Amino acid sequence: MISIHEFKTAKEAGVSAAALVADVVRHTPDAVLGLATGSSPLDMYAELIRLYREGSLSFAGVRTVNLDEYVGLAPTHDQSYAYFMHHNLFDHIDVHPENTNLPSGLAADPAAECARYDAVVSSFGRLDLQVLGIGNNGHIGFNEPSDSFSKGTGLVHLTASTIDANARFFASRAEVPTAALTMGIGQILSAERILLLAFGEKKAAILKEALYGPVTPQVPASILQFARQVDVFADEAAMQVIHG
Ligand code: GLP
């Protein structure tokens, strides 16, 4: 089931999205949260930090699993997703560092690292809430358009369109990693609830395709039509194609 929540701005959507995450954590203090990077969750993370600081929310029992990481970037690299998570959330709340999980971009044996990460994800036995952004080409996590839906964590080669989109965060396009480790579509879909964040006109066409088009691995986010419960938090700009 898909519920769409439309907001004037991404900021307002982020505040409401944080309220949804906070509800899950208050209801289930040892919740397993699947977390995402990119610009889409930034306002939500800022609001979660505010709620923690005002004393109305604790992450002390929460476990987190992040969707993905670039191959080749150390956690100290300022564009690694490990760095992103520490900088934008973990370092500012009371989550225990040992309860936070990301795939390692530096693993010498990516297949072994994917197996390790699958074991971490399945050891929790549940995924209470999965936060997602959506790539311009419909990717979720780093699951790029493909001929099939992936099940577990895998090594993916990034498409030219994703490398172009992410080049803005690096000094040059040549510095953007060309591969990543990502949780699979099967793992994402196992979540009790999914929170999809989509902001800006660049997401408008793909958001409509994902939510109303055919379910196909060429648009990985389209599989969300088969998820248990998806809450889409979008701003007006991202909703403009849906509204027609
Ligand atoms: C990145 C990430 C995704 C993210 C997407 C959209 O490549 N791997 O997890 O959802 O692109 O990014 P943004 O939120 O900056 O638009």
Side-chain angles (χ1 to χ4, degrees):
M1 195 192 68
I2 296 181
S3 311
I4 298 182
H5 312 259
E6 182 176 345
F7 298 84
K8 230 181 164 40
T9 64
K11 171 95 188 129
E12 288 169 48
V15 170
S16 281
L20 188 155
V21 175
D23 276 351
V24 169
V25 172
R26 289 186 188 115
H27 182 261
T28 310
D30 66 345
V32 180
L33 301 180
L35 299 179
T37 53
S39 51
S40 303
L42 283 174
D43 288 319
M44 184 186 82
Y45 290 151
E47 175 66 6
L48 288 173
I49 293 167
R50 197 192 66 75
L51 292 173
Y52 164 70
R53 285 188 177 147
E54 77 173 15
S56 66
L57 186 62
S58 170
F59 296 84
V62 164
R63 285 80 56 79
T64 70
V65 281
N66 259 82
L67 282 167
D68 46 12
E69 180 59 283
Y70 286 117
V71 167
L73 297 194
T76 48
H77 188 291
D78 67 3
Q79 289 309 323
S80 75
Y81 287 165
Y83 184 96
F84 176 103
M85 289 310 301
H86 280 277
H87 188 70
N88 291 301
L89 186 65
F90 297 155
D91 292 352
H92 310 288
I93 59 175
D94 61 345
V95 68
H96 294 297
E98 64 274 23
N99 288 341
T100 65
N101 298 278
L102 283 106
S104 167
L106 289 185
D109 179 349
E113 175 58 10
C114 291
R116 180 196 71 82
Y117 205 63
D118 281 344
V120 168
V121 174
S122 50
S123 72
F124 296 132
R126 62 176 212 263
L127 183 52
D128 295 287
L129 180 70
Q130 176 65 58
V131 177
L132 294 177
I134 181 169
N136 296 339
N137 60 4
H139 73 228
I140 48 178
F142 263 134
N143 293 282
E144 297 281 36
S146 148
D147 291 337
S148 60
F149 289 113
S150 59
K151 214 165 126 192
T153 309
L155 171 68
V156 291
H157 295 281
L158 304 181
T159 61
S161 113
T162 296
I163 293 171
D164 288 343
N166 290 352
R168 66 189 195 275
F169 299 116
F170 292 81
S172 72
R173 191 184 189 278
E175 286 181 31
V176 185
T178 56
L181 302 184
T182 183
M183 268 168 61
I185 296 286
Q187 286 165 316
I188 293 170
L189 218 63
S190 74
E192 289 301 320
R193 193 167 182 180
I194 291 173
L195 175 52
L196 176 67
L197 306 168
F199 306 123
E201 62 180 323
K202 279 197 185 134
K203 303 292 172 70
I206 196 67
L207 186 63
K208 181 173 184 187
E209 218 178 315
L211 301 182
Y212 300 104
V215 174
T216 162
Q218 295 300 335
V219 181
S222 64
I223 196 73
L224 298 177
Q225 295 178 43
F226 293 161
R228 279 190 193 91
Q229 189 183 348
V230 182
D231 289 276
V232 180
F233 281 62
D235 64 358
E236 281 179 356
M239 288 297 291
Q240 61 188 276
V241 177
I242 289 177
H243 290 320

